[in-house]
DNA sequence: GATGAATGAGCATTCATTCAT
DNA sequence: AATGAATGAATGCTCATTCAT
């Protein structure tokens, strides 16, 4: 990348950032349909027209709201060498749900709504869908556990990953449906103890 | 036919039914917000104004759409006395997912999208949200198992129900996201074996 | 007229009366434009369609609200032989404004609005406009005073009548415009003392 | 032209002006309720949406319609130092009625019909109703006469003003009701001689 | 790149009126 | 005469999107 951005480029990047930040804020309070482009531009202190410089359609800004950090979770988790595999999975789930809570209900809703129809896009360089990435992330953690000889080689890595991802998606849904009245993280913790613990124990070396 | 109805009343009822049927059809393809009253009346072959003869506000028709059959699954399951509790839960999940598959991908997507924002409506007489109903249904099955002395009294009924419902919602999401390429029922079966079996075993009498 | 009304005719008359009564009541609270035909029929306990049996258009009911009594005022006044001409005119004005106040603001407004475009209709047998009738009424009172030798023959009867009627219409307008906050009757009393008294004195025998 | 305006701002101002001009024209013929936003925008040759660029709600345009010239009559009258107070009031009435005659019957009718329901709006900077402004105008003339020592201090300024304004409104009504067959200005002249003259004489210094 | 005026389709809802029964 | 379901035009207002400057 060109380190020497012109003033113009720098300012363009700032405008984009302001729009995303504003969108985050208004979407935390109103549903996507209830939020108008003007709500966003007004809060960003930018003209209506500018919105369309950065986003072709209103809904495109949602994709931009989710920053990359969530996608690197698997790597982060695998670096936690002091945690055993069960704890690492727990850490992954907790972090995952934490980020979702941080974005707020409406973002979560909108994200789910958008994601329900699969669109491939570039995630960390690879062209894939989000659910595939999530599945891969968990599989990577499990695979790493096998490599480290924490988990037996015959562990059904794909199924366990599916089990976890489905649970995460299901919890997100419940969180949205209950208007946030369910404490997803605490709930997830209890569910793990209930199910995941047994599962992983079964294959622990 | 009810002989006590005048022709007029009968026709009024028909008009109402046509509206509900039309609403069902259009709501299978577009979200509530995207569906206009005119979409419904046009399909029903009825004037715009007539909609408001039967429904005070646009959203009131949603209450009328849901026929009861979907919501009686718990009762049906509890009548399966030949199945043990694990099998009954499996039966519930299979039936649940079956119905979703029957409706098809688009309806499933739409249903999830709509349901993500909680709307209370009358389900079998009670005013509640859909997720609450689903949770209650599974709890009812588990409670019945306790009553029948299949399950120990200290089983964390609420958590187990949450575990199952979250899994069901998560599977639906994955199904939509993968454009149906995941065989949810088979997948659910394997997940059950992985997690649910252990959980229930733990509390089996 | 036929004293022997059939049951049907009697009931028809009742329905009409119920509609007029209901219209009076709702028009006391909301403006004509804000009142719907259904507001009236609902309060009257009558079907929507029935309204149109008695009134060709919505606005036609306003004419029916003003009963005949107001038209006989001149005769009533002339019978007050104990009052002098100034007092009789005062009595006329007071009664006139009283009746208007009784009907309420909205009826007064609607009546004025309708009357602004002249329509001849049968008043006490004669085909004339309302303003002509009002003018005639006051002239009749003044003429009677001349006949009774209370007023000099050269009194400009027409102008004085115009003076009074204009004042009455003007007060009605002010009453409506001020949303009833002006006490028209008290105001009229003071105006009379101010102007009318002098005028009549000038021509008193 | 203001040189500090950009072309854009100038054009925006023009659009706003076109809307106001169009609104004036249509409101001269139909009541506010009967006039649709589209009536205005169509006549202005502007899109529906543009209306809402300049006016938040339909009724907000009314505030912008009234140019000041009509409302300065009192000031104009008070400058006529060669006329005595009676003549000044006559002048006021004549000018007032002249303007009404100039607008024609239909506008007068419509104006009365609209004004019958009070709407406050900005007149010469103050938020008031039209009847209050008219009353104030006449009071101002009378008060000025007191200041100039033409009228005695104890003259009931408010009542006299009410007397005159009611007469003006009443004459307008009669004019409309009689379909213009009454010569209001001549009539007003005669009424003045009849009543007003006496009244003012009574308080003349 | 930024602006913001302009666009115009779209929508929920109301309501006077009709008419078959 | 009474009913009330049906009609469908009408309306205020919103908003994503465009585009000339």
């Amino acid at each position: 990348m060109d380190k020497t951005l012109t003033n113009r480029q720098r300012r363009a990047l700032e405008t984009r950032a302001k729009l995303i930040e504003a969108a985050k804020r208004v979407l935390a309070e109103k549903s996507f349909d209830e939020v108008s482009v003007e709500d966003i531009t007004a809060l960003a202190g930018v003209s209506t027209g500018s919105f369309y410089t950065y986003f072709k359609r209103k809904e495109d800004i949602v994709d931009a709201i989710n920053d990359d950090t969530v996608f690197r979770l698997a790597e982060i988790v695998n670096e936690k060498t002091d945690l055993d595999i069960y704890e690492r999975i727990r850490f992954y789930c907790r972090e995952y749900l934490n980020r979702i809570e941080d974005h707020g209900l409406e973002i979560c809703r909108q994200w789910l709504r958008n994601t329900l129809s699969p669109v491939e896009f570039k995630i960390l360089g690879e062209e894939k869908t989000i659910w595939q990435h999530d599945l891969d992330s968990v599989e990577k953690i499990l695979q790493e556990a096998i490599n480290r000889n924490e988990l037996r080689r015959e562990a059904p890595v794909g199924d366990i990953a599916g089990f976890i991802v489905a649970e995460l998606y299901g919890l997100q849904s419940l969180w949205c449906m209950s208007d946030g009245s369910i404490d997803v993280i605490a709930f997830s913790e209890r569910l793990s103890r209930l199910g995941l613990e047994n599962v992983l124990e079964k294959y622990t070396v």
Side-chain angles (χ1 to χ4, degrees), chain A residues 33-79:
Chain A
D33 282 333
E34 287 162 346
V35 165
S36 70
V37 171
E38 242 193 298
D39 287 340
I40 298 170
T41 54
L43 186 62
V46 157
S47 74
T48 327
S50 277
F51 184 94
Y52 290 88
T53 305
Y54 299 100
F55 310 102
K56 218 172 156 45
R57 292 158 315 152
K58 183 190 169 195
E59 52 257 62
D60 288 348
I61 200 173
V62 176
D63 295 336
I65 285 178
N66 296 296
D67 49 46
D68 290 356
T69 68
V70 70
F71 297 129
R72 307 200 173 280
L73 211 45
E75 300 176 18
I76 295 168
V77 166
N78 275 337
E79 283 157 14

Side-chain angles (χ1 to χ4, degrees), chain A residues 87-100:
Chain A
E87 288 166 336
R88 287 212 298 285
I89 291 287
R90 283 310 317 137
F91 180 83
Y92 176 87
C93 292
R94 200 165 41 242
E95 282 301 302
Y96 188 103
L97 295 171
N98 256 332
R99 276 155 218 251
I100 281 157

Side-chain angles (χ1 to χ4, degrees), chain A residues 14-205:
Chain A
E14 273 169 30
T15 304
R16 204 187 113 101
K18 274 192 281 182
L19 282 168
I20 292 173
E21 181 54 30
K24 267 187 194 174
R25 294 247 297 275
V26 290
L27 281 172
E29 288 174 6
K30 288 195 281 182
S31 92
F32 184 78
D33 282 333
E34 287 162 346
V35 165
S36 70
V37 171
E38 242 193 298
D39 287 340
I40 298 170
T41 54
L43 186 62
V46 157
S47 74
T48 327
S50 277
F51 184 94
Y52 290 88
T53 305
Y54 299 100
F55 310 102
K56 218 172 156 45
R57 292 158 315 152
K58 183 190 169 195
E59 52 257 62
D60 288 348
I61 200 173
V62 176
D63 295 336
I65 285 178
N66 296 296
D67 49 46
D68 290 356
T69 68
V70 70
F71 297 129
R72 307 200 173 280
L73 211 45
E75 300 176 18
I76 295 168
V77 166
N78 275 337
E79 283 157 14
K80 300 272 166 189
T81 46
D82 51 326
L83 303 179
D84 69 26
I85 176 61
Y86 173 69
E87 288 166 336
R88 287 212 298 285
I89 291 287
R90 283 310 317 137
F91 180 83
Y92 176 87
C93 292
R94 200 165 41 242
E95 282 301 302
Y96 188 103
L97 295 171
N98 256 332
R99 276 155 218 251
I100 281 157
E101 275 199 352
D102 283 352
H103 285 135
L105 268 173
E106 269 314 317
I107 305 255
C108 181
R109 280 195 185 110
Q110 200 50 41
W111 180 86
L112 273 171
R113 283 198 255 254
N114 288 351
T115 316
L116 249 24
S117 305
V119 196
E120 302 227 334
F121 61 104
K122 271 230 156 60
I123 300 176
L124 304 179
E126 275 178 281
E127 191 82 21
K128 51 164 96 170
T129 54
I130 291 183
W131 67 275
Q132 276 176 326
H133 173 77
D134 284 342
L135 231 38
D136 288 356
S137 294
V138 180
E139 277 199 40
K140 212 180 293 176
I141 297 172
L142 293 168
Q143 199 55 55
E144 180 66 19
I146 290 178
N147 294 345
R148 294 189 198 163
N149 208 30
E150 291 180 274
L151 225 47
R152 297 224 304 281
R153 200 150 296 271
E154 66 265 34
V157 166
D159 281 354
I160 299 175
F163 177 66
I164 290 161
V165 170
E167 201 73 42
L168 285 174
Y169 288 171
L171 282 174
Q172 281 182 75
S173 303
L174 270 172
W175 190 55
C176 295
M177 290 174 183
S178 71
D179 232 351
S181 70
I182 286 178
D183 178 347
V184 262
I185 295 183
F187 198 26
S188 158
E189 212 71 45
R190 297 209 303 283
L191 295 199
S192 281
R193 208 110 52 207
L194 219 53
L196 187 60
E197 206 169 17
N198 298 311
V199 173
L200 290 180
E201 232 164 51
K202 208 190 279 189
Y203 298 100
T204 308
V205 175

